[in-house]
């Protein structure tokens, strides 16, 4: 990932979140900020923060109603917290990451919600234009 040490860089972000089960897709076409291994952006009133580590991607999706904390690790099941702000109540969801590709300006994650048939692909591409 391209960034200067300790400096925020504005990046163009494109991609999608696709539900393979019910064939729905949320497109991503926005600008965000990148600093070292962290990316932040807003899409459809959701603030997304991503931190990329060696073999883990941590994501926080937050808006006025919810805060969803997700940890992706290839071939592992992780418990995610889906916090309902109005009710001050958390729901825990197990997800299994079945594919995770991290390149300089590209992230692709395929994951399945355990206990359901829902499978998703999250794709994010970054450029400086």
């Amino acid at each position: 990932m391209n960034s200067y040490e300790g400096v925020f860089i504005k990046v163009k972000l494109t991609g999608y979140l696709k539900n393979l089960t019910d064939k729905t897709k949320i497109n991503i076409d926005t600008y965000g900020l990148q600093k070292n291994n962290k990316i932040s952006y807003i899409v459809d009133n959701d603030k997304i923060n991503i931190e990329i580590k060696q073999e883990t991607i941590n994501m926080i999706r937050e808006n006025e109603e919810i805060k969803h904390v997700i940890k992706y690790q290839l071939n592992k099941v992780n418990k995610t917290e889906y916090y309902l702000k109005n009710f001050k109540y958390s729901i825990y969801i197990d997800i299994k990451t079945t594919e995770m590709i991290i390149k300089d300006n590209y992230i692709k994650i395929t994951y399945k919600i355990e206990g359901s048939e829902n499978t998703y692909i999250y794709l994010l591409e970054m450029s400086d234009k």
Side-chain angles (χ1 to χ4, degrees), residues 58-103:
N58 295 314
M59 178 186 292
I60 299 173
R61 177 180 152 242
E62 186 171 12
N63 59 38
E64 290 181 10
E65 298 170 357
I66 62 102
K67 181 176 183 179
H68 193 182
V69 179
I70 308 167
K71 181 178 186 177
Y72 299 104
Q73 293 177 296
L74 186 59
N75 296 321
K76 292 190 178 180
V77 175
N78 286 300
K79 189 172 294 297
T80 71
E81 180 182 15
Y82 193 88
Y83 180 69
L84 302 166
K85 293 180 177 181
N86 290 340
F87 299 102
K88 298 180 181 171
Y89 184 77
S90 291
I91 298 169
Y92 295 93
I93 304 165
D94 290 334
I95 64 161
K96 181 175 184 179
T97 305
T98 57
E99 178 184 33
M100 191 165 71
I101 301 169
I102 305 168
K103 296 184 180 177

Side-chain angles (χ1 to χ4, degrees), residues 18-51:
K18 183 188 294 186
N19 183 325
L20 297 177
T21 308
D22 67 11
K23 311 285 190 244
T24 58
K25 183 177 176 183
I26 298 169
N27 289 312
I28 301 167
D29 187 8
T30 190
Y31 287 90
L33 296 174
Q34 179 182 351
K35 180 179 179 180
N36 301 327
N37 62 338
K38 297 179 181 179
I39 303 162
S40 298
Y41 67 95
I42 297 173
V43 64
D44 294 334
N45 296 317
D46 287 343
K47 183 177 178 184
I48 311 294
N49 289 300
I50 300 169
E51 181 179 19

Side-chain angles (χ1 to χ4, degrees), residues 110-126:
T110 304
Y111 62 97
K112 182 180 185 312
I113 306 296
E114 293 287 285
S116 80
E117 297 300 316
N118 291 315
T119 300
Y120 295 86
I121 296 176
Y122 174 73
L123 177 78
L124 189 65
E125 295 182 86
M126 296 153 275

